[in-house]
Amino acid sequence: MKIGFRTIKTALGVSLSVFIAQSIGLQYFTAAGILTLLCIQKSRKQSVRAALSRLFACLLSLFLSSLLFEAIGYHAYSFLVLLLFFIPLCVRLKIHEGIASSSVIVMHVYMHGKWEPLFFLNEIGVISIGLGVALLINWYMPSIDRDLNRYKDQVDGLIAAILKEIALYLKEGSTQWDGKELILLGDVLGKAGGLAAIDAENNIQRKENSFSHYFTVKRRQYEILERMLPAVSGISIQLEQGQRIGELVEEMNAHMSGGIPSPHLGEKLRGIRDYHKLLPMPQTREEFENRASLYAVANELERFIQSL
């Protein structure tokens, strides 16, 4: 059984909320722990959003239920009338996340059975402690830079392996590659993108997130490679044009692996395109189809270079 950091924070937060609320003599002090439990989220941004939603929903339910119960009585059917109005109102105000937690406050109003200023102060205290402790506990987030950098290295290695195989096929016309790196790249980017999103939400004040930007660019490159491979596999004969494009892919891969983007890659690709335009028309259908595939590969390479 594995106990995660979020589980530890939740257990600590609930205990602290109940202890504080009980220590200062609040009624229904266990509700503070419930509110804390519901507000511990994966990121700071999600925690703040959950706390605000629950704060407004709890305050709204406190006043609405008090007014309604005083008007029609403290009866079981009063919940029917209350919830028929309260739930749509929360949805309209976009605070529906707080419906479940605010129901706890409604139960307190019902069980208390009368309108009293001290009771209102008690409930506001319970709400403040529960949500406040959740925000305090959740503000500390362990660094996930190590995991993100590990994903970054994996992505770089997989893209390099894919480009190497493409260059080899274009130059030599055969390869034993099974394409597993492309599938693995998609999986890694999916995991890395989710982790980068959490990292961005944990750094609310940061305007730009380098990891999010990096994996967004790599996702775009992955999509380009995914489109490029069918065109590459459509090349069945070796052509001089294929040799030239294969050498360009090799050079591009070398620059990417070294972390130094080459400004002349685009110019070299344009030079290859200009050279292709001067070649005589294909003499056979097979040559025509292969040159068409090379043209499609060149188009995707141009997009890839622009993403560097």
Side-chain angles (χ1 to χ4, degrees), residues 5-6 9-10 38-51 97 134-142 144 194-204 209:
F5 187 72
R6 186 180 170 192
K9 288 199 301 182
T10 301
L38 294 171
C39 284
I40 299 293
Q41 303 291 324
K42 292 182 180 180
S43 68
R44 292 188 187 125
K45 187 175 181 179
Q46 290 179 16
S47 185
V48 170
R49 185 170 59 242
E97 282 184 298
L135 287 174
L136 181 64
I137 291 291
N138 218 41
W139 203 252
Y140 173 72
M141 289 289 176
I144 54 177
L195 201 61
I198 292 175
D199 181 61
E201 291 185 347
N202 283 337
N203 297 277
I204 302 173
N209 185 278

Side-chain angles (χ1 to χ4, degrees), residues 105-237:
I105 304 300
V106 173
M107 298 303 172
H108 293 173
V109 175
Y110 182 79
M111 287 187 293
H112 192 70
K114 56 183 176 180
W115 180 298
E116 284 184 339
L118 286 178
F119 171 74
F120 274 81
L121 291 176
N122 180 88
E123 293 303 292
I124 290 173
V126 168
I127 295 168
S128 300
I129 291 171
L131 300 183
V133 169
L135 287 174
L136 181 64
I137 291 291
N138 218 41
W139 203 252
Y140 173 72
M141 289 289 176
S143 176
I144 54 177
D145 286 1
R146 180 181 298 178
D147 293 331
L148 287 168
N149 282 316
R150 177 166 51 83
Y151 281 132
K152 187 176 180 180
D153 291 339
Q154 288 181 14
V155 168
D156 288 339
L158 289 168
I159 290 179
I162 294 168
L163 290 175
K164 180 181 177 181
E165 293 295 338
I166 290 174
L168 184 65
Y169 186 82
L170 290 172
K171 291 177 65 178
E172 299 184 7
S174 64
T175 178
Q176 299 299 317
W177 186 47
D178 57 5
K180 65 180 181 180
E181 284 84 358
L182 186 70
I183 298 172
L184 185 57
L185 178 60
D187 293 338
V188 173
L189 282 172
K191 296 175 183 176
L195 201 61
I198 292 175
D199 181 61
E201 291 185 347
N202 283 337
N203 297 277
I204 302 173
Q205 296 179 343
R206 187 191 298 170
K207 292 183 179 180
E208 294 183 1
N209 185 278
S210 58
F211 285 112
S212 291
H213 175 71
Y214 173 83
F215 289 117
T216 298
V217 171
K218 294 303 174 181
R219 168 63 65 176
R220 194 178 307 128
Q221 292 177 358
Y222 162 73
E223 292 170 354
I224 293 171
L225 290 172
E226 201 173 30
R227 292 194 304 267
M228 188 190 303
L229 284 175
V232 173
S233 63
I235 299 170
S236 58
I237 59 174

Side-chain angles (χ1 to χ4, degrees), residues 2 32 56 65 85 92 94 97 99 106 112 126 129 137 167 184 199 222 225 233 248 252 290 294-295:
K2 184 179 179 181
F56 290 127
S65 61
F85 286 98
R92 180 71 177 253
K94 297 181 180 179
E97 282 184 298
I99 292 174
V106 173
H112 192 70
V126 168
I129 291 171
I137 291 291
L184 185 57
D199 181 61
Y222 162 73
L225 290 172
S233 63
L248 175 64
M252 182 173 67
N290 277 266
L294 280 172
Y295 181 80

Side-chain angles (χ1 to χ4, degrees), residues 48-64:
V48 170
R49 185 170 59 242
L52 288 175
S53 178
R54 284 166 174 78
L55 173 62
F56 290 127
C58 286
L59 292 176
L60 183 62
S61 69
L62 176 62
F63 290 104
L64 280 181

